[in-house]
Each structure stands twice: as C-alpha cells, then as structure tokens.
C-alpha cells in the first residue's frame, strides 16, 4: 500500500498553491482558490522576449505582456501546461517542438512524494496475505481494542475519527491511496476482494490490519461500497505540505451514503435516487422526499403506518433517515437502507430553522407547510442530514412542494408487483415490464420522467388531457417527432449536471456537456414554434439567460477539456490577460529550450541528441550509449539506461525551476478561472432545472408518441363516469414479446355504456363484475393484467393498444394475481392471499378497478368456493367496484343469475381428439370445465398418472354436487 506521505506535484514548489488545487477534491467539495502574493516589478517585461525570473512577474507585468503579445484563440485544446492530460501514460509531454523521450526499462513513472511523513518500509515488502475469515481475526481487528495513546500520531488520528463515526466506513487519505485500518480494512478487503496487509502501530500493538484503494479510482470503489448499502466517510488532506515535524492536516470532507451521492458513476441514470426523512407520532407521520442529484423536494403528512409503508415501497427509497434507534420499525419495508439520526435535528424549532436558513425565507407560510407539522420536521431533519454529510457544499434543492392522498392513482405494492410496472416478478429485471414496453426516451432525464408517470398516474382529467394532446400532436406529425428525438438524443442530463455545478463538484467536461444541452434549447423552441398543445408550447421560448450562460462556458472552456482540473489545459486563450501573460512566458521558455537543444547538438557534434522531459527527473539531454563518451565536460551524468545516457547541465537545471514555477502559476490561474465559472453556472441551477424538466416531459411525450405511432395505439376517451369500455384491447408488453404469432385482441366492458362482451344488466349497461373462467394457461391472468395496464396507461396520458376505448377515472387499482409465501413473517400462501383480499375489500370503492385471480384456491374445496363466492358477491353488491374475478370454481357462474350487475365471460379452447388448442379469445358465457388434466398431460405428467386422474374425476363428478344458487341471507339483528 502507499506510504504515508502527502501527494505533491513536481510543478508546485514555492508557488503558494492551495491544497485543494493540488488534489482536486475528488468527491465534490468546492475547491478553494488562493492567489499567491507576488512582488511587483513591471520593468521586468520591458522587452517582450526577456526571460524574466517567474518570481518577479506580478499580475500587472503579465497583463502588460498579454496586451503587447495577444494570443490567438484556438478551437482545439489549449496548452496543457506541459502535460498531455488526455493520455493515460504517466509521462509529461515534452516542450513544443521537442521530441518525446524514449523510455528505457528502468524509467520510473511514479509521482514525487513529499517528506512530511515517513513511509512504512515494511509495507511494500510484505507478501500479500488473504483477508482474515471470521474465525481467525487478526489480533487488532477492531479500533476499540487499541490504546490510542500508544499509537503513532497518524493512526491515533484515524482512531479518533473512527470513534466519532463508528457506523461509517472510514477511508483515510495517505499519499496516492485511501487507506482503511482495523475492522474497516477487513470489511473492504472482503467486499472489494483486496489484499489485506498491515501497518506498524508501535511496539505495544505491532502490525494492525490495513487495506486501501487508489485515490484516482476512489469513485469506482466507493460506488461499489455504497451500492452494497454502506456509508463511507472520506478523510482527505487539507494541505499540500505539512509543517516541519507535524502531520498533514486531514479531516472528513465528504460522507457518501446511498441517498446523498451525486456522482454520475454512483447513480442509475434512468431512475431517481430518493432520500427520505420520516417523523412518526402515534398513527400520524410526516414524510420528506428529496433527490439530491436532481433537486426535487416534496413533503407530505398522513395517517396510518400502512400508508407510510406503501409510500416507501413505491418510492423504492435509497435511504430513509428517522429520529430513532433500535429495531427496524414496522412501517419501514425490508431491504431499504434505514439510517437512525439524533432527535434534535427533527425537533420542530430546529427543523423550522433549517428550512428557513436553507431557502432564505422569513416564513414557511408560502410553502404550504403550515398545516403539516410532522412534514416540516421531516423536511428540516432531512436538510440537516444533508448538511452533515456534505460539509462545505450547499447542495441545490428546489423549494419543497406538498402532495396529498388523492393527487394520483393509488397503486399498492401488490398491484405494482402484479402488474410488473417497472420490473418483472421473475428476476426483477426491466425487460418484460411496462416501463420496458413504453420507454423509447433518448435522454436520462426523459427516462426518469416516464418512470415517474408510470409509477404515479394522474386522476385529474385536465392534466391527462394535456398530456394526451401532446402525444396526439407528435403522433400526427412524424417529421416533427423525429426531428425532436434527433435533437434530444445527444443532450446530457441537465438536471444532474446543474446539481453537480451547484454543489461545486462538476468537472470541466460536465460544464461543456451542460453548455451543449443549453445551446439546444433555442433549436427546440424553433421546432416547437407552431405547437398547439400545452406541454409542447411550454418549450417554445428562447431562454435568453441560459443561452448567455452557455455562451460564457463556450467562450471560457476548451471544447475537449482534460479530466484533471489542476494541470491546466482548461481555458481558452484570450479569456484572461494574466493567464495569457503566463502562457507567453512559457512560449519564451519553450523557445529557449529549443535553442538550447540546437546549441548543445552543435557543441557536442551529436546529431541524435534530444532535450526531453520526465516528470520524475525533469529536463535532461539524451544521447545513445555509443555517443556517451563524446559528450562535453560540463555535462553531468544523471541516469544510465540500457540504450541511452541522460545528462543535465547547470544552466538547464537552473532554467527548469523557473519553467516549473511558470507552469504551476498558469495551472493555478486556470483552476481559479474554472471555479469562478463553475460558481456562475451553479448559481443558475434553478432555471437550468426548470428547463430540463420541460425537456424531460417532451422526451417522455415523444416516447409515448413513438410507441403509439408504431404500435397501432388509439387515444382513449377519458370520461367523468365509471365505464371501462375497450374494444380489441391488447397487452402492451406481451404483444411486443410475441415473435411467431400475433397477439389475440380482446375487449372488455364494465361500469356503463354499450357492451362489446358480457351480459348487460336490465338497463342495458355493462356489469360491474365479470366472472372469468377457462382452462389453466389459457390467458386469464394476461387478460387481468391487460385490463389493469390499459386503465393505468390511459390515466398517465398515454395512448393505449386498442381499436377504441372509453374509460372513466379510477381512484385505485387492486390486483391479486399469482401466489407466494411470506416466510419471513411466517405467513403461508393462503394467509398472504387472504390478507391481500382483506385489504382490497376494506379500501375499494365504486370507482376502483379490482382484478382478482383464483381467490380461495389455497384451502379445502368447499372452504375456497365459499370464500370466493362471498368475496365476489361483496364486490358486486356492497362495493359495486368494477371487477374482473378469474376462477376455476364454475359454480360462481350462478352469480350472474342472482345479480343483475354480474356477467360471465370465458376464455375459449378447442379440443381436437386428445389435443387442446388455446384460442386466447374472451367471449360471453361461463366455462363448465377447466381442462386441468389436459393441461397436466401437455406439461409432461406421466400417462399412467393422467389416466388415473381421469378415472378419479369421473367418480367425483358422478357422486358430487354443490348447490350454491341461494340468495344471500339477511344479517341477524
């Protein structure tokens, strides 16, 4: 592992560079800027070409030089301060006009390490050892086992920080590595498959466990740890060099948790990363939800822990913060990261203060939080948690908005799982889900928007109509739709780019990508100038303030900036006079180096002599081994390689220090200019995100239009009634998965209006309840899911796969499809089924859509039939919800004779001898057989078993009869 020594650049000796300029603050804390004091001596540049001492060049002298020798702006990357920042090789680029050095086998590419802290000489020599298993832990496997007073200063500091953050994995910066010790070293060695080594901890302790990761790869490794649910505290260096005899100053600069990451490599591009704050008092709760990467911030307050459980499941939150401790509360779903917090930040006064301070408000009345005291506390506690995990960085968040029950179509966790909205039940992947079928978005922000629309359909007819208008306009104008998608495709994630700029962690490439996206806004406005639908017309504006910001970024930054922010090559010529003056001086030094090379070549008579640069050895004269004996006497041998000799001269070494100082000053000035530019961009995060969300809406609408236009969809009519009338509907997912045969379309009629199928009740309206019968594997479950998905798609503003459709708004969709145990809570398949059925019966209304499959099958035949009968009857008679009840209990067909709002439908099959053909057509009437034995034969059950099953079935049918055709009895007094 790395020796305990500060990382230093060879270019920065005695230049006054800040420590953050040296290391670049990898994980987003705003880099500080510091201008070194310099002596004033303008006469040093009386002659433009004079090679002045860099220490004597003040700002006025540099500006005068830039004025006398103006630099021409280049379209490609400007000088990278002597370094090829885009190349992965460790060698530094040779001066302009000089050949690159040929590296011999003994060349070293390691960066210089400062002498402030003594390396551990035994660390590199120790042979790798395997990570210790639980049964054979190292002697000092936990930080609490050691005596801090008997540790070396560095390890003592580590233990002090670890004691203050025991629940977090502590990564401690040592030179080019982030190191862990004690239990954290064991943890990361096992999780990341790293070698577990050791470090000397003094005579009292010997060697303690150590493991680490390279500094330049920290984001990748930390992303892996965060995805595993760990919290990572980064202790970074706060200075470049330490005082004599002292340790480098280090402190925790960032805490990475699953809900607070903003780095691109740690986030899923097409889904939100929700951080939740929760406050619970009795049965009432407040919930604050924020996506730190996009700035979204919402607050709600409601009653009932079950509703809180459902909300957290719907959000699929990355992290939940709550003021409590102990066991996981019942309202928190299993699998979510739950982070206990202190009570104080969630107390009413502190929470209110946090909200007012963060958003610079005098009152919270205008935010709509006055009637949400628990919501206020949850929001304030969440903001405090963000401040604690992002020291020194103000993450830009939107003003909090509120949402309430009834603002969207209610979908409980079972319904989301059964309908496979964003992931499949088998495998949990996206392919095969509704999101997969509808997602044709071309930007990450559009993909997140479409996911939100699917997860939270609308219940407001006007809002649904507005989206439908946008989809319809894009469906009808194919050239416009294609032009918009071509323009959106290269656009970066403006929401998250703006967030990183506001947090001070954006790279130069982030700003260039942001500028590219902002430059496309006027082009979008031009394409949408004649749009009539509200969602499209919202983008038909010029955005002059954002165009100016994009122009500023383009003017300042080169087109392809390097990844590193502290090595130069970021800023165009002509942007800053001081920088131009420094670059002029560097050009003069390059000219001197070229002249020196030619002079030494003439003096030595060695035509193959080359003047080169190595980041470790500096400038040198390179000659072949055969010519080494003919070099002048004033040359000093520096290094001998297999095929060449390297020499220096006193004049060359004297000039080297001046050149490196100039490069360091130029790199520092570029960094200062970049941070100023990043701050300007970050200050505009709010308008950038406003535009980004309109772009995301446009991308989502274009995706729905693309699917509708290519898939033969229709625009559903959304009514104020209860009807659910679909003619020739198709399952949006299954029809895309079928390759060899087309999907069989089926209609449905529930709740009112003319009926394509089913038995109308006495006034001619379709029924409220359809009893669906048919064989196993004939498509009953597909029909149920198809009905639910088409209702959901209509309410999210999409067109649907059907010939025509007329739908009233649903307040909730309930599904009970399939079966499964809940072994964790000790519930059998039947108990899970009954619990879900009970939830439906308690919460369904006449405007709900209820889809049930095989209720009562997990118990004895008569018990199951009785339960199924009673549930179906309750839905039709008491609740009058629009329902489809799939069953193998054919006795339920009799419900249609007893209740006018019940009808029977069946899935057709065709028998040809011993063969059974599934037609997948749903028609009126009830089935009398389930063909279970035939399905068993088709599945490969042995013929003897099939034969015996038919014999038993014949006897049962001959001797059994179930009479259920009874009117319900009136309840007793």
């Amino acid at each position: 592992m790395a020796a305990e020594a500060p990382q230093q650049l060879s270019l920065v000796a005695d230049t006054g560079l800040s420590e953050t300029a040296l290391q670049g603050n990898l994980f987003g804390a705003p880099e500080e800027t510091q201008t070194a004091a310099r002596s004033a001596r303008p006469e040093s540049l009386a002659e433009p070409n004079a090679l002045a001492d860099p220490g004597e060049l003040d700002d006025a002298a540099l500006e005068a030089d830039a004025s006398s020798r103006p630099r021409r702006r280049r379209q490609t990357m400007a000088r990278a301060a002597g370094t090829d920042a885009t190349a992965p090789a460790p060698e530094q680029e040779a001066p302009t006009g000089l050949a690159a050095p040929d590296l011999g086998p003994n060349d070293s590419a390691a960066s210089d390490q400062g002498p402030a802290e003594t390396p551990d000489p035994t660390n590199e020599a120790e042979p790798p050892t395997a990570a210790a298993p639980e049964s054979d832990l190292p002697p000092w496997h936990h930080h609490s086992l050691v005596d801090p007073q008997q540790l070396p200063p560095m390890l003592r500091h580590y233990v002090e920080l670890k004691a203050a953050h025991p629940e977090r994995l502590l990564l401690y910066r040592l030179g080019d590595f982030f190191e862990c010790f004690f239990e954290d070293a064991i943890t990361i060695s096992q999780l990341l498959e790293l070698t577990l080594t050791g470090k000397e901890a003094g005579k009292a302790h010997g060697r303690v466990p150590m493991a680490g990761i390279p500094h330049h790869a920290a984001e990748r490794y930390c992303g892996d740890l965060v995805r595993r649910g760990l919290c990572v505290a980064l202790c970074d260096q706060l200075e470049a060099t330490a005082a004599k005899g002292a340790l480098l100053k280090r402190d925790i600069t960032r805490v990475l948790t699953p809900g607070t990451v903003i780095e691109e490599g740690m986030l899923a591009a097409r889904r939100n990363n929700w951080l939740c704050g929760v406050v619970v008092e009795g049965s009432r709760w407040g919930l604050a939800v924020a996506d730190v990467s996009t700035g979204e911030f919402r607050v709600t307050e409601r009653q009932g822990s079950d509703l809180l459980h459902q909300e957290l499941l719907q959000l699929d939150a990355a992290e939940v913060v709550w003021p409590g401790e102990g066991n996981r509360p019942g309202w928190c779903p299993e699998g979510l990261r739950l982070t206990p917090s202190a009570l104080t930040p969630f107390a009413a006064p502190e929470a209110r203060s946090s909200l007012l301070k963060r958003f610079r408000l005098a009152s919270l009345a205008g935010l709509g939080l006055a009637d949400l005291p628990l919501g206020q506390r949850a929001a304030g506690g969440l903001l405090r948690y963000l401040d604690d995990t992002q020291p020194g960085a103000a993450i830009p968040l939107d003003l909090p908005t509120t949402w309430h029950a009834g603002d969207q179509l209610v979908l409980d966790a079972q319904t989301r799982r059964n309908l496979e909205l964003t992931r499949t039940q088998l495998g949990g992947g996206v392919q095969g889900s509704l999101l997969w079928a509808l997602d044709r978005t071309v930007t990450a922000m559009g993909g997140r928007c479409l996911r939100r629309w699917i997860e939270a359909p609308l219940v407001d007819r006007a809002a649904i109509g507005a989206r439908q208008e946008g989809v319809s306009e894009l469906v009808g104008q194919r050239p416009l739709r294609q032009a918009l998608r071509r323009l959106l495709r290269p656009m970066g994630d403006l929401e998250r780019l703006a967030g990183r700029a506001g947090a001070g962690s954006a790279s130069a490439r982030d700003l260039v990508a942001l500028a590219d996206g902002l430059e496309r806004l006027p082009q979008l406005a031009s394409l949408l100038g004649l749009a009539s639908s509200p969602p499209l017309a919202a983008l038909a504006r010029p955005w002059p303030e954002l165009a100016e910001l994009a122009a500023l970024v383009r003017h300042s930054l080169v087109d392809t900036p390097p990844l590193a922010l502290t090595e130069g090559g970021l800023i165009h010529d002509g942007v800053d006079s001081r920088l131009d003056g420094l670059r002029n001086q560097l050009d003069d030094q390059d000219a001197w180096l070229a002249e020196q090379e030619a002079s030494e070549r003439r003096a030595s008579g060695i035509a193959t002599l080359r003047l080169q640069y190595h980041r470790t050895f500096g400038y040198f004269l390179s000659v072949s081994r055969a010519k080494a004996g003919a070099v002048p006497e004033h040359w000093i041998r520096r290094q001998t390689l297999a095929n060449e000799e390297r020499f220096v001269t006193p004049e060359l070494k004297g000039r080297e220090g001046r050149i490196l100082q100039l490069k360091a000053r130029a790199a520092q000035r570029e960094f200062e200019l970049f941070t100023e530019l990043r701050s300007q961009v970050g200050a505009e995060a709010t308008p950038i995100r406003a535009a980004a969300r309109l772009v995301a809406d446009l991308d989502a609408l274009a995706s729905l239009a693309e699917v509708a236009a290519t898939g033969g969809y229709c625009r559903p009519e959304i009514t104020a009634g209860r009807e659910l009338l679909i003619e020739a509907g198709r399952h949006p997912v299954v029809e895309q998965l079928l390759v060899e045969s087309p999907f069989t379309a089926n209609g449905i009629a529930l709740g009112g209006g003319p009926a394509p199928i089913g038995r109308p009740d006495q006034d001619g309206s379709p029924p409220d309840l359809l009893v669906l019968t048919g064989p196993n594997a004939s498509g009953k479950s597909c029909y149920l899911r198809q009905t639910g998905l088409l209702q959901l798609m209509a309410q999210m503003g999409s067109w649907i796969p059907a010939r025509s459709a007329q739908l009233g708004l649903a307040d909730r969709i309930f599904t009970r499809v399939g079966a499964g145990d809940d072994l964790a809570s000790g519930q059998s398949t039947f108990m899970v089924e009954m619990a879900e059925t009970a939830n439906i019966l308690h919460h369904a209304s006449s405007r709900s859509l209820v889809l049930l499959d095989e209720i009562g099958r997990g118990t004895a035949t008569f018990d199951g039939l009785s339960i199924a009968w009673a549930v179906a009857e309750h839905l039709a008679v008491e609740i009058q919800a629009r329902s489809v009840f799939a069953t193998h209990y054919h006795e339920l067909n009799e419900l249609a004779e007893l209740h006018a709002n019940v009808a029977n439908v069946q899935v057709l099959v065709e028998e040809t001898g011993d063969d059974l053909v599934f037609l997948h057509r749903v028609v009126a009437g009830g089935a009398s057989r389930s063909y279970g034995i035939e399905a068993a034969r088709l599945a490969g059950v042995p013929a003897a078993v099939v034969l015996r099953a038919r014999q038993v079935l014949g006897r049962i049918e001959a001797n059994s009869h179930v009479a259920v055709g009874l009117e319900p009895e009136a309840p007793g007094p």
Side-chain angles (χ1 to χ4, degrees), residues 3 104 278 310 483 603 725 819:
V278 177
Q310 293 291 339
L725 308 174

Side-chain angles (χ1 to χ4, degrees), residues 129-148:
T129 57
E134 290 278 344
S135 59
D136 187 22
L137 292 173
W140 308 107
H141 60 270
H142 198 275
H143 74 277
S144 61
L145 299 176
V146 299
D147 181 2

Side-chain angles (χ1 to χ4, degrees), residues 464-590:
I464 295 172
R467 284 187 191 170
Q468 286 185 333
E469 287 293 331
V471 174
S472 300
E473 188 166 359
L474 292 174
V475 169
Q477 299 187 45
R478 183 171 178 267
L480 173 62
R481 183 176 75 248
Q482 292 180 335
L484 289 172
R485 287 167 60 80
R486 281 195 300 269
L487 191 58
L488 291 174
R489 194 178 300 278
M491 186 175 286
D493 193 338
L494 300 184
E495 279 185 308
R496 287 179 170 170
L497 290 171
R500 289 201 289 274
S505 64
S507 68
R509 294 186 179 184
D510 286 339
L511 297 193
V512 170
L514 185 62
D516 179 76
L518 296 180
E519 288 173 341
R520 294 175 183 273
L521 294 179
Q523 300 177 57
L524 289 174
S526 176
L527 286 175
L528 298 171
L530 300 178
S532 58
S533 59
L536 304 186
L539 264 173
R541 48 173 293 192
W543 303 95
E545 67 282 7
L546 298 184
E548 292 177 4
L549 186 65
L552 175 63
V553 173
R554 288 295 193 189
H555 172 72
S556 301
L557 296 180
V558 298
D559 296 336
T560 310
L563 290 173
L565 300 181
T566 58
E567 298 179 4
L570 303 173
I571 306 297
H572 270 302
D573 286 336
V575 173
D576 179 72
S577 57
R578 272 185 281 169
L579 178 60
D580 287 350
L582 287 167
R583 286 175 172 172
N584 285 340
Q585 291 296 309
L586 283 170
D587 287 344
D588 293 340
Q589 300 292 347
D590 286 348

